[in-house]
Structure formats: structure tokens, C-alpha cells
Amino acid sequence: MHISEISADRPGLIDLQRAAYRIEAEIIGDDRIPPLHETSEELRAQPLIWLGAFDDDGTLLGAVAWQETAEEVDLDRLMVDPGAHRRGVGLALVKEVMARAGERGVVVSTGRDNTPARTLYERLGFTLTGEAEPVPGLWVVHYSS
């Protein structure tokens, strides 16, 4: 697996995002996750920096996107192809973002009931900083490194 910069108009990225967020929707029992319903145009309009994780044959296994300031990196989305789960793709992507963040803090949010994502962030040393209900019944938790 190798990681490299990609753009939001990369072929297959919107399909990867939908497949990954369908899994999260199943885990948390709620399909109102905004990236699940985003169009390709909406995806490209986001002011995000992207990295992709690729198999040796060039297959896109996962992607991560973030926004950054001089003080903080806000991990906006992490997506792994369901067929590549449990292969360290998400771990490698988040570690790469953390390395690029340097001394800056990294923040991330995920579904409160998304145990696999929460376990990943906690394993990487993120600390739970709170939770919120952005829409009735949809709970998210916030972490920082």
C-alpha cells in the first residue's frame, strides 16, 4: 500500500465515499450522515486536502480529507473501501495526516455508535472532548490529539 495526494475529482472517489459511509450508517443505525448524500459537485466544492491509499495495482483502497489552519488540522472525513477493512488502511491514512500536522493538534468527529472508528482514534491517542446532536437523534463524538 502507498499513500499519495489526490484531488476531489479523482474517478471513483464519490463511489468510495458512498460505500464507506453506507457502512457507518449501518453501524450507527442512521443514514443522515452528510457525506453519504453528497453529490460529486458538492464533494469537489469542499475546501479539503486529500490523500488516497492505493494497493500495489493502483486500486484506491481509502481516502482521507482535512482542512487546516496554522494551529489545527480538522480531519473532515475518512473512508475505507469495505473490501479493504481490517488491512490498516484507515490507520495508515490517519497516521499520515497526524505526521503532516506536525505540532498542530488534530481534531475529528465520528458517529457516537461507530465503535470501529472510535477505537481507531483512541488507539492513536485521540482524547474524547465531547458529543453533540447536530440533528435530532444523530449523535456525534468529538476527539482531539
Side-chain angles (χ1 to χ4, degrees), residues 102-121:
E103 296 298 315
R104 295 176 290 175
V106 180
V107 296
V108 65
S109 299
T110 191
R112 182 174 66 185
D113 295 331
N114 188 345
T115 302
R118 293 185 69 172
T119 300
L120 170 69
Y121 298 129

Side-chain angles (χ1 to χ4, degrees), residues 75-86:
L75 199 109
D76 185 84
R77 59 192 77 196
L78 174 64
M79 53 188 96
V80 176
D81 184 287
H85 283 179
R86 305 285 179 243

Side-chain angles (χ1 to χ4, degrees), residues 5-139:
E5 294 179 8
I6 60 173
S7 67
D9 60 358
R10 176 170 182 83
L13 185 61
I14 191 71
D15 296 328
L16 171 65
Q17 178 168 289
R18 288 183 182 139
Y21 282 99
R22 264 194 299 276
I23 298 296
E24 181 172 8
E26 290 172 14
I27 291 170
I28 69 171
D30 196 319
D31 70 354
R32 296 177 293 165
I33 305 167
L36 183 59
H37 304 286
E38 210 168 45
T39 66
S40 295
E41 294 76 23
E42 291 167 332
L43 176 68
R44 287 192 300 271
Q46 298 294 322
L48 300 172
I49 302 164
W50 288 90
L51 291 175
F54 297 89
D55 214 343
D56 291 338
D57 66 1
T59 301
L60 181 63
L61 301 173
V64 64
W66 71 93
Q67 295 183 46
E68 60 184 39
T69 66
E71 297 82 31
E72 184 177 78
V73 172
D74 184 352
L75 199 109
D76 185 84
R77 59 192 77 196
L78 174 64
M79 53 188 96
V80 176
D81 184 287
H85 283 179
R86 305 285 179 243
R87 291 177 45 190
V89 176
L91 177 69
L93 287 165
V94 175
K95 282 178 132 180
E96 180 65 23
V97 172
M98 293 175 78
R100 290 175 181 230
E103 296 298 315
R104 295 176 290 175
V106 180
V107 296
V108 65
S109 299
T110 191
R112 182 174 66 185
D113 295 331
N114 188 345
T115 302
R118 293 185 69 172
T119 300
L120 170 69
Y121 298 129
E122 290 168 7
R123 182 171 153 200
L124 288 168
F126 283 78
T127 302
L128 181 66
T129 59
E131 60 181 50
E133 187 180 17
V135 295
L138 179 61
W139 285 91

